[in-house]
Amino acid sequence: MKSAFVIAKKEARAFFTQPTFYVIAGLLTVVFSFLFIIGVTQFAQVAQSMMMQPGAPAQQGNIHYAVFLRHLSILNLMLIFVVPAFTMKLFSEEKKMRTFDLLLTCPVNSVEIAMGKFLGAAAAVGGIVLIALIYPVSSIIFVQKISWAPLLISFLGLYLVGLVYVSMNLFCSSLTESILISYIMSVILNVSIWFVGQGVEMVDGQVARQIFEHISLNYHLAGLVEGTIRSQSLIFLLSLSGLFIFLTERVVESHRWRA
């Protein structure tokens, strides 16, 4: 898999040396800064009122639930639209510029190509997640005690969801030469996957409910953002990423045979 890391390094360098990444990161920083300050201000007001009303729900006075989870939901919403912007060119632009055929003639197999592209985009998403992590970490300035384990597990869970987006969007990019079509398909797929778990509310059978619950992205992420590591959730998210990487590899291999 040495070739995969070479491709990943090339793609990651392309992400972090192009102005596009920093423009996106800058815009996200503005959004995060504005909304996080609002969230902290509201939390401070609620915490002050709780001192006057001892019977208020405990979660309102917990910064993890009142501020950090809201911050994570905003990050997830941003990733739905940002990840396609990172991945839409990975295959589509190469096909359009006819450099994809050259890649197929290189001494690398389709698995290494798919994994290399995936890891390169995963590094870019990791950069965005780290930017978002700065805000909760900075809360230590005015909060005496922060539960670091739930916070880090929450961001790990959302990063794994980001990897699912990367794998799905990479697959979309492999299907077309059009960057615009790749982006639109990726956004639609990112949004649609959140509605799969809604089947829980539409079925009556216990077995059917368990199946829909198991394939629900929201169900698996919910435990992680609350600071609980469940092996089944980690396996599901990694397996879902692996599935779309495999589908991408199959598309790349089909191009090799046609070439």
Side-chain angles (χ1 to χ4, degrees):
M1 295 294 288
K2 182 178 179 181
S3 298
F5 290 106
V6 173
I7 295 174
K9 184 178 180 180
K10 169 183 171 294
E11 296 295 344
R13 185 186 302 114
F15 282 123
F16 291 115
T17 57
Q18 290 182 358
T20 304
F21 175 84
Y22 296 98
V23 170
I24 293 175
L27 292 174
L28 290 179
T29 300
V30 172
V31 174
F32 290 150
S33 299
F34 177 72
L35 296 179
F36 192 79
I37 290 175
I38 292 177
V40 170
T41 302
Q42 292 176 344
F43 172 72
Q45 294 173 350
V46 170
Q48 186 175 9
S49 65
M50 286 184 64
M51 297 178 63
M52 307 298 296
Q53 300 175 357
Q59 285 191 351
Q60 292 184 5
N62 189 321
I63 192 171
H64 183 79
Y65 290 96
V67 180
F68 296 165
L69 292 191
R70 179 182 177 184
H71 182 63
L72 285 166
S73 66
I74 295 170
L75 173 60
N76 180 51
L77 179 62
M78 296 296 104
L79 289 179
I80 288 176
F81 298 96
V82 168
V83 175
F86 289 155
T87 60
M88 63 183 181
K89 294 184 178 181
L90 289 178
F91 283 111
S92 298
E93 188 174 51
E94 290 210 26
K95 291 181 178 180
K96 188 175 182 180
M97 301 298 293
R98 303 306 178 196
T99 56
F100 183 63
D101 294 334
L102 295 176
L103 181 61
L104 293 179
T105 60
C106 295
V108 292
N109 57 47
S110 55
V111 175
E112 291 172 331
I113 293 173
M115 282 299 302
K117 298 281 189 180
F118 171 79
L119 293 174
V125 173
I128 297 299
V129 172
L130 287 176
I131 291 174
L133 181 60
I134 292 174
Y135 293 88
V137 171
S138 65
S139 302
I140 196 173
I141 298 175
F142 52 88
V143 178
Q144 294 182 352
K145 184 178 180 180
I146 294 178
S147 299
W148 292 106
L151 176 63
L152 296 178
I153 292 172
S154 299
F155 273 86
L156 171 63
L158 200 52
Y159 179 63
L160 292 177
V161 171
L163 295 186
V164 173
Y165 295 153
V166 170
S167 63
M168 294 192 305
N169 300 166
L170 186 65
F171 172 66
C172 292
S173 180
S174 70
L175 296 175
T176 177
E177 294 183 2
S178 172
I179 296 175
L180 179 60
I181 293 176
S182 173
Y183 182 84
I184 293 174
M185 286 195 305
S186 298
V187 172
I188 292 175
L189 193 56
N190 289 353
V191 173
S192 299
I193 195 172
W194 286 97
F195 292 95
V196 174
Q198 298 301 315
V200 175
E201 308 298 331
M202 301 171 60
V203 296
D204 297 326
Q206 182 66 25
V207 176
R209 289 179 64 87
Q210 289 178 349
I211 292 174
F212 276 104
E213 189 175 76
H214 181 72
I215 63 176
S216 171
L217 199 63
N218 186 58
Y219 168 77
H220 292 286
L221 181 60
L224 290 169
V225 297
E226 290 181 359
T228 304
I229 296 180
R230 294 182 293 198
S231 58
Q232 62 174 349
S233 297
L234 298 180
I235 293 172
F236 173 79
L237 294 173
L238 293 175
S239 298
L240 191 57
S241 297
L243 171 62
F244 281 95
I245 293 173
F246 170 75
L247 294 176
T248 302
E249 183 272 331
R250 289 290 85 197
V251 174
V252 174
E253 186 65 18
S254 68
H255 281 284
R256 187 188 298 274
W257 280 102
R258 285 201 297 268

